[in-house]
Amino acid sequence: MILSTAAENYISFKSLGLDPVVFKIGFFELKWYSIAYIAGILLGWWYLLKLIAQPGAPMARRHADDMVFYATLGIILGGRLGYAIFYQTELLLDPLKLLRLWDGGMSFHGGVIGVTLAILWLCRKEKLNWLRVHDYVACCVPFGLFFGRLANFVNAELWGHPTTVPWAIVFERTGGNIPRHPSQLYEAGLEGLLLGIVLWFLFWKTDARYQPGKLVGTFILGYGLSRFFVEFFREHDRQFDGTIFATPGLHMGQLLTIPMILGGVYLIATAKKRRERVEPFAGTQTIA
């Protein structure tokens, strides 16, 4: 009640003038969420080409181009199926609703699984080092995470718990007349900006890319820790009302990050043991 009556003292989401729809022509409408996916994939592709242009790259340009196609399929199919399995199992009983991507509902963890399977398939097909390819792809993912979380904010979804912090935002349309943590922006900053900077530093300023598993380990550890932390400020998913997953510290998103955290620690700890002379996939320079 106190938060509700004091809502006028906080930032109103309506005052920001944000609309999930960029424009609408007849039955067609373009949403910022779609643009976020497209921007993340295109920037990730561009950055991947920059990475593989360095000595000792694990794949050639043609592999990177194929990777974007298969990874996109992995993101969409894995993300949607992951959402149905982890968050809304009734979608599995209605394939038509499962295909309605425009209604929203994507799981990052499902997307990770989908992209991983796509990478494994391509690496087996082209006889590439799958762990080193994962390292390079992991450096590109923060672009998508950053834009995706900004799209969540524009959609006024996945907001946080009620709060009285000065930067609280009142999401009137979806969150009621209550000031809340803008948890979408917390995730954009941690999973997108901060994690992206860490991976940039490790790739360009250290020899991490010659230690198979170190970069992808850093990514999944960093994402896992960031997501686990932000879940303490984020409202639980409504479908878990009345369950243990509605309790802070037991959110589904937190539980799904535990294997990522453990896997990331393992990959980082064992990366130096996997270091070996790296022969370039294209060119003549060898990296010891």
Side-chain angles (χ1 to χ4, degrees):
M1 178 62 71
I2 295 177
L3 288 174
S4 180
T5 57
E8 60 186 26
N9 299 322
Y10 295 91
I11 301 171
S12 167
F13 184 80
K14 290 192 298 185
S15 70
L16 300 178
L18 299 175
D19 191 321
V21 179
V22 183
F23 65 82
K24 184 175 182 179
I25 301 178
F27 66 88
F28 174 80
E29 58 181 24
L30 179 64
K31 296 184 177 181
W32 285 110
Y33 203 68
S34 300
I35 291 180
Y37 267 87
I38 295 171
I41 291 170
L42 291 180
L43 281 174
W45 185 12
W46 167 81
Y47 190 51
L48 181 60
L49 297 181
K50 296 290 184 182
L51 300 182
I52 65 173
Q54 304 309 304
M59 56 182 161
R61 167 67 188 262
R62 67 180 185 277
H63 301 124
D65 293 343
D66 289 343
M67 181 68 65
V68 172
F69 172 74
Y70 292 118
T72 300
L73 288 180
I75 291 170
I76 296 174
L77 298 179
R80 189 60 171 166
L81 285 173
Y83 179 77
I85 293 171
F86 300 136
Y87 296 96
Q88 202 164 338
T89 54
E90 59 267 25
L91 286 176
L92 297 174
L93 303 177
D94 192 339
L96 291 180
K97 284 188 177 180
L98 187 62
L99 295 174
R100 294 174 63 89
L101 301 178
W102 52 89
D103 287 341
M106 298 285 281
S107 164
F108 172 79
H109 301 89
V112 166
I113 295 173
V115 171
T116 298
L117 292 175
I119 292 175
L120 290 174
W121 185 86
L122 182 64
C123 289
R124 180 176 180 180
K125 175 174 174 286
E126 300 292 340
K127 296 180 173 56
L128 304 177
N129 184 317
W130 66 273
L131 194 52
R132 294 200 67 228
V133 170
H134 268 87
D135 282 335
Y136 279 62
V137 173
C139 292
C140 307
V141 178
F143 287 108
L145 290 175
F146 178 73
F147 288 116
R149 293 310 182 190
L150 291 185
N152 291 149
F153 181 75
V154 172
N155 287 349
E157 62 187 4
L158 306 182
W159 24 254
H161 294 305
T163 183
T164 57
V165 297
W167 56 87
I169 294 179
V170 182
F171 296 92
E172 296 91 347
R173 180 174 59 84
T174 57
N177 194 38
I178 301 173
R180 297 178 177 277
H181 282 287
S183 55
Q184 316 96 322
L185 301 184
Y186 301 168
E187 291 185 277
L190 291 174
E191 303 167 6
L193 287 178
L194 180 59
L195 187 52
I197 290 172
V198 170
L199 290 169
W200 174 89
F201 177 82
L202 288 176
F203 185 93
W204 295 100
K205 301 298 182 180
T206 75
D207 65 347
R209 67 180 183 269
Y210 305 127
Q211 300 176 39
K214 191 167 189 176
L215 291 170
V216 67
T218 299
F219 169 75
I220 60 177
L221 173 62
Y223 176 85
L225 292 175
S226 298
R227 180 68 180 271
F228 196 93
F229 172 74
V230 173
E231 287 287 337
F232 285 109
F233 302 92
R234 178 173 155 177
E235 196 72 71
H236 66 271
D237 295 280
R238 292 302 180 188
Q239 58 266 40
F240 293 126
D241 282 348
T243 72
I244 60 171
F245 297 125
T247 305
L250 287 174
H251 286 183
M252 177 61 78
Q254 288 174 307
L255 296 180
L256 293 174
T257 61
I258 293 176
M260 299 182 73
I261 293 172
L262 296 176
V265 170
Y266 170 77
L267 288 173
I268 294 171
T270 58
K272 285 187 177 181
K273 297 179 181 179
R274 287 187 292 272
R275 175 162 182 155
E276 56 188 22
R277 181 172 293 277
V278 176
E279 298 296 339
F281 201 90
T284 59
Q285 186 174 356
T286 294
I287 304 300

